[in-house]
Amino acid sequence: MQVKKEYMHRAIVEAAIEEFAEKGYARGSLRRIAEEADTKMSNIYNYFRSKEDLFGYLVGDFYVEVQTLFAGLVRAGDGISVAEIGAEESSRRWSEILLPLVDRRAELLITAADGTRYAGFRSELEQRLLSAVGLMCGYPVQPNPDGYPVNLYVSTYIDAAVYLSRRYAKKKSDAHAAVENLLKTALAGFAAVSAEHGKKKE
């Protein structure tokens, strides 16, 4: 009996991830989740009190973990100039920090959380990344977007992380390599910005 309950719980969770990833929280349907999990909608309430409770189960613990990631972003950017250590070493360090974002739970926080208490996650993530990049490039907050549109790089990285989480959901090693390649390109540009900013300060 316990095995059956564990199986059904897992089936509901897996169906919910796909439903919310495709439709978002607001448009996500418990009825469709139940159908995909091959059960009745009323049975979902044996495991979760509500749709909100189900979504919180999917992302809540991960959201707490990501706060550590945010702290790591500040440490990664503070006092480390990509122009000094190079794009190769920077991409290695940053990929270790950012790899957790290549995750279905991060995908839900980034793309599906409107209508929940996690709705501001993407905006918060973008601001943290921009601040970290600013520190890395020697700016007090972030590079001037008029001079170098780093916000576009950050937004592109987040979109790429979502794509990679879907493509490599079961292949973390492939995701790691893909993240490093993505970062190398961005960090090469940041290195040029950092070097240029250093010249202007002299």
Side-chain angles (χ1 to χ4, degrees):
M1 188 67 170
Q2 185 62 29
V3 172
K4 186 176 181 180
K5 285 184 177 181
E6 289 175 358
Y7 169 80
M8 181 51 60
H9 182 274
R10 185 168 63 252
I12 291 169
V13 165
E14 290 174 356
I17 289 172
E18 298 305 325
E19 174 69 9
F20 291 135
E22 182 180 346
K23 304 289 186 182
Y25 172 80
R27 292 174 54 230
S29 164
L30 289 182
R31 187 174 304 282
R32 284 194 296 266
I33 290 170
E35 289 173 0
E36 189 63 31
D38 196 23
T39 189
K40 295 179 180 178
M41 191 170 78
S42 59
N43 192 33
I44 292 178
Y45 294 107
N46 290 326
Y47 299 88
F48 303 99
R49 293 187 304 273
S50 62
K51 184 168 78 166
E52 182 180 11
D53 184 45
L54 173 54
F55 191 82
Y57 176 84
L58 297 177
V59 302
D61 289 346
F62 184 74
Y63 180 81
V64 173
E65 293 172 19
V66 168
Q67 304 313 306
T68 301
L69 182 149
F70 285 159
L73 286 177
V74 175
R75 289 194 300 271
D78 192 14
I80 300 175
S81 169
V82 66
E84 294 174 7
I85 66 175
E88 188 81 25
E89 176 61 14
S90 286
S91 67
R92 186 189 66 77
R93 295 186 192 184
W94 280 67
S95 63
E96 289 176 1
I97 295 168
L98 296 174
L99 188 61
L101 290 177
V102 184
D103 187 288
R104 296 308 302 273
R105 295 167 298 174
E107 176 188 343
L108 294 180
L109 284 169
I110 291 166
T111 67
D114 283 353
T116 75
R117 69 186 194 90
Y118 306 102
F121 180 80
R122 178 171 182 135
S123 177
E124 182 182 7
L125 176 59
E126 287 185 351
Q127 288 306 310
R128 298 279 188 152
L129 285 168
L130 284 169
S131 294
V133 169
L135 288 168
M136 184 178 67
C137 295
Y139 289 78
V141 181
Q142 64 189 61
N144 182 346
D146 294 330
Y148 189 78
V150 67
N151 56 310
L152 296 180
Y153 274 100
V154 167
S155 183
T156 298
Y157 173 81
I158 292 172
D159 290 338
V162 169
Y163 168 77
L164 292 172
S165 78
R166 292 173 179 164
R167 181 169 181 181
Y168 299 119
K170 297 180 180 178
K171 298 179 181 179
K172 282 289 186 180
S173 59
D174 290 348
H176 199 155
V179 168
E180 280 210 67
N181 288 333
L182 177 69
L183 284 169
K184 282 175 187 175
T185 302
L187 287 164
F190 297 158
V193 172
S194 182
E196 185 63 27
H197 183 65
K199 290 177 183 176
K200 289 179 180 178
K201 289 169 67 176
E202 291 175 358

